Structures are given as structure tokens and as C-alpha cells.
Amino acid sequence: MRHNSTFQFIDRLFGLLVCASILANGLTVFGQTRRTPVKPTQTVASKQTPQCAGGWSGGVTYKRTLKDSLESDEPGIRKNIDRLKHKTSRNYDYTGRAVIDGTNPQQPIVNTKVNFTDNDLNWGEEKVWDSCGAWKPEHWFIIESNDDRQTQAQATGSAEYFNLSVDEFGGTYNFSLKFPKANGVFKREEHVKRSGHCQPKNNEPYDRSTNEPTRIDGASFSIDSQKIDPKNPDTIAGTKVWGDDGSGAVRSFIYEVSWRFTRCPQKLLITDLKFEHPKFPNFEDWKEIEDPKGTIDGNKIKVKATVLNMSAETKYADLKISETYKGDKYNYARPDEPLPNGDVSLRLDAGEEREVELIWDSEGQAWFDDGRPHLQHRIKAELAENGQKKDEKEKPLNIAPKPLILLHGIWSDYRVWEPLYQNLLTLNHSYQWKAYAVGEKARYGAMSMGGKFLSDWYSDSVYDNADQLAKYIKYAQEDSNAWHVELVAHSTGGLVGRLYLHKLMPNVPDARPQVKHLIMLGTPNGGVPCVDVFLGKLGLFKKELKAAHELTNDEMLNFNKYVVNTGGAQLSALAGNSVPIICGGLEWNDGFVTVKSATYGVADTGQSNDLNPQLVDAKNFDNFVKPHLVTGPKGTYPYPVKNDPIDWKRWQLNNRDYDVNNGSGFYRGNELLPTDLRLENTYAAVFFDNSGAKTLRGPNAENIETYAPVADKDVQNFSKELKLAPKESVELEMPVEAAPNLGVTLTAGSAVSVSMLNERGVLISRSLADSALASAMFRELFTNYPVTKSVWKLRLENTSDFAQMFYGFSWSNKDVSTRQPPVK
């Protein structure tokens, strides 16, 4: 017991002596630093004898940034007339870099570099509607002003102060640093323009320019109470960020400090590792990649590693930059992968610090080759001398997939994609995979496609809408800093996409297409025969609805003759095959577009048993859209490679009613089907003959033949346009001519039920309100049995509380084989 007491006394006395020694230097073992020392110092409270005579060496990076903008448009004194507009933006960036040589811990050498820019832009406009009295009519009084301020400064040299305190007893450390003052230039441009004021002198402009030298104080900071890793006590490193509350409100200043010190280090060090990408739209304007926002798949990435020779002699070193998977939860066994041109040999003179850079093409890096998302990459730089590693530094980098530009079709708008598609992108990769539905932010571009279904709203031509698409793509690229994008288009939006590729897609400096894929879902690439019929029989689509007129046979012939260039983008088309009848013929379609039209001129195609509106749902995203977008570094996954049975086996589809043609034949899942085999389909139609007998026919029935235009075969002449009042039921007489069959094509809101009855009042065919087929743009009633000259009836019922339009016409087709009535 006495022995233990003596030992404890000696131990405490030793601790007090150490504390007294540290306090004599102005520091405590708890790491409290003096705020304004005369010169740089390092203090260590150690449990053991130092292993070397030197101290701690390393590097510190400090950043202070502010990126803020505000735009307002408010009423003036008279709220209905006067306007006050303001636009402000501020881009503030202070970056300081310090390299510390702690060979002499009492007098460490601290060399710094400082770069500072502050761009503060202000614009305002005041518009007042007034007059100068009775002698002059009312007009606008306008004042427009600019006040733009720019400060730039740089500095190199020793830090004003640097203190590092390491408490190995408590396992903590602190340090503080102040950068030197920076000299630079302050510029200011002030301009005021006035017009409309009653006195001429009040319309005189005001202009002033300022250009003068300036000096800014050096930034300072203190990092306190940081923990030492007991497993790696010879290295202290970390990053601290503060100043952003995450509220999404007006941004405040954000501070970031990164540091790394090594005790008694090798004389060869990696002092910095960072990433840059070109800032769209200037390919030569390289900007540091923000963490954790990262960059976009397909962008060029400049990897920069800064190495330092702290010795007094020339050193020859090897730098290796690679992607590492060590410690990764799922890929830990995967070896490091050197980046292209990532091995560099260096000659470093005594005291020389050099920045080494390489350009890395990130194409495909948002995904692994097996289809898994690969958001975060870990890039490692290793420095070696004579085959022995001297230092290493690792930094994460996020790479998100290319933005998805979404194009809606006729009688639709951007809301057809909401909120499903952004949710699907987030679920399948991350929130950084962004969807941009054209028109969602109309100030950046909006396509005019005729508004709501069957409205007579004005619509623009495909050519005007392509111009709007170009504006929206540019907005998406600027917003996400993406040099390449993907297009997914529904219905007639695919025609807009094709025209954009042909005529408007710009060249990218990296020589790859700006648009990698155009994926079309139910796009009428070969036109819509029903539009010709409705125009001819009913004059349904007014001239103002250009989006519909452009779908006629003649217009589409001209379109396809002209629009032939894809600019290198890959085209894919998904066709719906859920309905066997279309406007006077029997051909598979999605209620609007035939399979033949949707796949016209496209080699890479697929089929789905959905109606046109459902082609944008989650099932078709999983089965068709996503497989075309998931592109790993070595190729495309899981969409199979043509004629590669192994690759086809890897492709697992979730829906048996899904078919794909990759150029060598049709596939159902992994099974190759002969090209002459009509595809199976879950659709079954109920038909009634003249006697009321019911039959069930599927798509393989003998009456399914190639579509023949109705113009030369129609012997029926009934057509009707009608507005149904809320809850109204109407019965229309429909004269019928003798023919081998009879059909009615109609378009109406989904809340309208339509039944076709023969001359004896027997129900022959019907389309119920709110059924699956009621959402089709064109609905069909049909009997494939001979009819005699008589008068049939159409029974219409509006089940909604709103007025509904109905348009319909009757037809028959002599070239379609008929069934004789069953023998009784």
C-alpha cells in the first residue's frame, strides 16, 4: 500500500512539472492557445519520449464562401399598376492555403497563399404610371440602376501567426492560424438611366466608375478540442464546416477548414487533393467541385494533387492516383483502380511544392457495370520514393447520373411526370439524380401542346416547341452543371425531341453528343391515322391546334423526310400494344398510336401492354426507361448487348407482357421469339354478334391483319359532335350501311360511357366510363360480323358533374376477314 502511494505521488509530481513547462510556453496541456503570439509555435504534452527531434508538419486549407441571389417583383404605390423590381447576387470566395514545416517545433515555418474574390451585383427598376398633367397623356416613369462591385486580392508569404497544441495525455489537440493581409483592386460601376420624367434634367443619366487599390485583412480561425485517433497517433487530420443552418433561406457565409499534420513526417508530403470540373457553358472555366454536391456523369474532372519536398535536397518521387474501395461495405475486396494517366514520376527540388493534375472522363461513373448505383467515389493519391510509400491522401467525390429532361405530349403538360419520375430517380440512385420536366419552371421554356384533353386551346408547332426545349435543356445544364443530358419523351413530345436532335442540338467540346439517349414512349413517329379521319369527317381539330394537324399522314411524311439526323444520340422507342382496333382497321395500338407508328424508323424498340397514358408509369420505367439509362464505365447495363446470349441472360425483366426488339428479333424476358410470331398480349375484347351472342377474342385471332387506311374502304357515313351536360344521357340514331363489319371510333372524356345497340336494341359493344380503356385517346366499338342496312343506336351517358364533349364516327373495312354468325 505504501509503495502504491509513493508511485502515485511521483506520477502526480511528474504531471505537474510537464504542465508547468507547457504553461511557461503560453499553452496548457488542454490545448488552450494564446490568441496573438509573436511567432509560430508547437507544443506537445507527451506520455513518452518523442521518437524524433522534429515536430508536426502538414497543410491547412481555409475557405470562406457566400453564394447568394435574390430576385423580386413587387407592386409599387398603386399595387395594380406600378412595379418595383430588384435583382441582387453575391459570389464571395476567400481561399487560404498554409504549408507548415515543423522540423523545428519551436519555430515552424508556415508559408501561405491567399486568393480572394467578391462580386456583388445589384440591379433595380422602378416603373410608375403617371402623367405630367393635362398637357401630356399618362405614361411610364422609369428609373433603372446598376451598382456592381468587384474586389480581387492575393497574398503569399508567412502567416501572421500559427499555434498548434497537442495534448497526448487527454488525447486532444487545438490549433489556430491567421493569414497575411492581401493586396488587390476594388472596382465599382454605378449607372442610372431615367426616362419619362416631366423635367428633362430628371432624365439625365448618372454614371461613375471606381478603380482603386485595396487591402484586406487576413482571415483567422481557431480549431479547438479535436480528438486524436489512438490507432494512428502520428497523424491528426479533419475537416470542419460551419455557418450554414440548412434552412434553405438566404445563404450566410460558409466556413470550411481542412487540415492534416504528420509527426516527424517524411520529407515528401501530399499537401492537397482536390477536384474541378468545367463550369457550364464555358468549357475552359474550371471550378472546384462542391462537396457533397459533386459533379455529373459525363463531365470532365480535373484531379489535382499538390506534393511538397520539405528536404534540403532534390527528391525523385512517384505519384499514383487511383480509386480505392478499401473499407467499402460492399466492394471491400475490389482492388484499387488507377485513374487513366494516374501514374506520374516527379523531380522535386529542395523545398519545391508542385501541383500535379490529370483529366478524368467521368462517363459511366454514376453506375457500376452490374447496374448498381455508384454515387460516392473515393480517390486516393499515394506518393512513393524508391518504391517505398511516403505519404497518401484520400478524398470522396460524388458523381450523379445525367439529368433527365422530360417532354410531355399533346393535350398534356409537365404534370404528367409529377411526382413519380423524381421519386423513381431518387429511389433508383439518389436525390442527386435530377428530373427536369419541361414547363415546370415556365420562365426557362414551356411547350404548348393544346392544354387539357379535347380542349381547343392554341398549340405551337413542333418547331416552336423544339425551341422551347432547347431553352429548358440549357437551364437544366446550368442548374446542375451537366455537359450531357438524357431525354425521355411521351407521345408527341418525342417528335419535339427528334427535331431538337436534328436541328438544334449544339456541339460539346468533348466531341460527345449533348444528348446521350432519346427514349420515346408511345411517340407517333409514323403519324396518327385517326387524326386524318377526324379531320376529314368532323373537322375536329381546329387550325390553332398545330400539334394535332402535324400528325396527319402528309405532315408526317414531310417530317420524316426532313428530320433524319440524330446527332449521335441513341434512339429507343416503347410501343403500347393493348388495343387491337384503330380507326377503321385492326392493328395493335395503345389507344392513340399504333405499334407500327411508334417503332417507325427506330431499331431499338420494345412493347408494353399498356395504353398510351400509362407508358409513363413505374412499371415501364423499370422495364424500359431505366435499362437504357443505366450506363456503367464499360457499357450499358442491364439493357442487353445485341446478339450476346450471356448479356441477355443477365437482363431480368419483371413483366411477362413486355417485349423488346434489339434488331435480331423479339424477346419476351430472356426468350427469343421468331420475328414472324405475333406477340402474346393480355388484352381480350368482348364482341357481340347481331343475335346478341357473346364471343371472346384475343390478339391472335384470325381477324388481326395489317392496318389499311379507312379512306378507300369506308362504306359508313355516320359522324357526330355533341356536348353532354352534367349527368346527361343521350341516345343517338346511327344509320348503318350493309357491310362485312361495323366499328365506331370515338373520343370523349373518361367519364363518358358509350354503348352500341343494333336495330333490335341488342347491346353489341360498349365502352364504360372510368374503365381502363376509357383513358385511351381514341376508343373503339366493333363487331366483326356482317351488318345489314338499318338504323342502330349509340347510347351516351355523362357520369360526371361537368360538361363533356363527344366526337365519333362509324366505319367498316372490307379487307378485314369476317366471321360468319354461329350456326344454331
Side-chain angles (χ1 to χ4, degrees), residues 543-815:
K543 292 182 179 180
E544 289 77 9
L545 192 60
K546 296 179 183 178
H549 281 258
E550 289 172 335
L551 300 178
T552 61
N553 184 63
D554 289 343
E555 289 290 334
M556 285 306 302
L557 284 174
N558 291 330
F559 181 87
N560 287 320
K561 183 178 179 180
Y562 168 70
V563 181
V564 295
N565 180 26
T566 67
Q570 302 174 33
L571 266 59
S572 304
L574 178 65
N577 61 8
S578 54
V579 184
I581 314 167
I582 186 76
C583 287
L586 301 177
E587 184 179 3
W588 291 109
N589 67 93
D590 61 14
F592 180 52
V593 182
T594 65
V595 171
K596 183 192 300 182
S597 177
T599 59
Y600 178 82
V602 183
D604 178 19
T605 66
Q607 296 187 29
S608 170
N609 66 325
D610 280 321
L611 295 169
N612 190 276
Q614 283 77 56
L615 294 178
V616 299
D617 66 14
K619 180 190 76 173
N620 291 298
F621 174 86
D622 290 339
N623 287 342
F624 191 80
V625 177
K626 179 187 172 183
H628 285 81
L629 301 177
V630 178
T631 305
K634 295 180 181 178
T636 300
Y637 178 90
Y639 188 71
V641 178
K642 292 183 178 181
N643 304 319
D644 185 345
I646 297 178
D647 208 23
W648 278 102
K649 273 190 173 181
R650 291 168 55 203
W651 192 33
Q652 300 297 322
L653 295 179
N654 299 323
N655 192 311
R656 293 182 178 179
D657 302 311
Y658 193 81
D659 308 291
V660 170
N661 177 12
N662 79 332
S664 60
F666 281 102
Y667 285 78
R668 165 82 32 80
N670 296 323
E671 179 186 1
L672 176 63
L673 304 176
T675 55
D676 60 348
L677 177 64
R678 185 169 300 281
L679 303 179
E680 297 178 0
N681 194 286
T682 56
Y683 175 87
V686 177
F687 295 95
F688 298 85
D689 61 21
N690 290 346
S691 65
K694 183 170 70 174
T695 60
L696 181 66
R697 300 194 201 131
N700 290 324
E702 60 191 26
N703 59 0
I704 304 300
E705 296 185 359
T706 303
Y707 170 75
V710 71
D712 298 331
K713 307 178 184 307
D714 189 12
V715 296
Q716 307 296 339
N717 54 22
F718 169 82
S719 62
K720 189 68 176 180
E721 176 180 347
L722 182 66
K723 186 173 185 179
L724 296 169
K727 301 296 184 181
E728 181 182 11
S729 295
V730 174
E731 204 167 77
L732 304 176
E733 290 190 347
M734 181 176 67
V736 173
E737 299 294 331
N741 46 49
L742 177 64
V744 172
T745 296
L746 64 102
T747 184
S750 61
V752 176
S753 289
V754 184
S755 301
M756 181 170 69
L757 298 86
N758 66 10
E759 71 276 15
R760 297 191 300 277
V762 176
L763 177 65
I764 301 300
S765 184
R766 65 183 178 185
S767 176
L768 295 177
D770 299 321
S771 63
L773 290 175
S775 63
M777 195 164 293
F778 298 116
R779 291 194 256 171
E780 309 288 343
L781 305 175
F782 182 69
T783 177
N784 202 27
Y785 291 95
V787 295
T788 59
K789 185 173 182 177
S790 56
V791 177
W792 290 34
K793 291 184 179 180
L794 288 180
R795 184 177 294 156
L796 314 179
E797 180 184 1
N798 180 6
T799 64
S800 75
D801 296 324
F802 304 94
Q804 300 283 345
M805 293 301 300
F806 166 86
Y807 306 89
F809 67 93
S810 61
W811 54 270
S812 59
N813 194 322
K814 294 180 180 179
D815 283 356

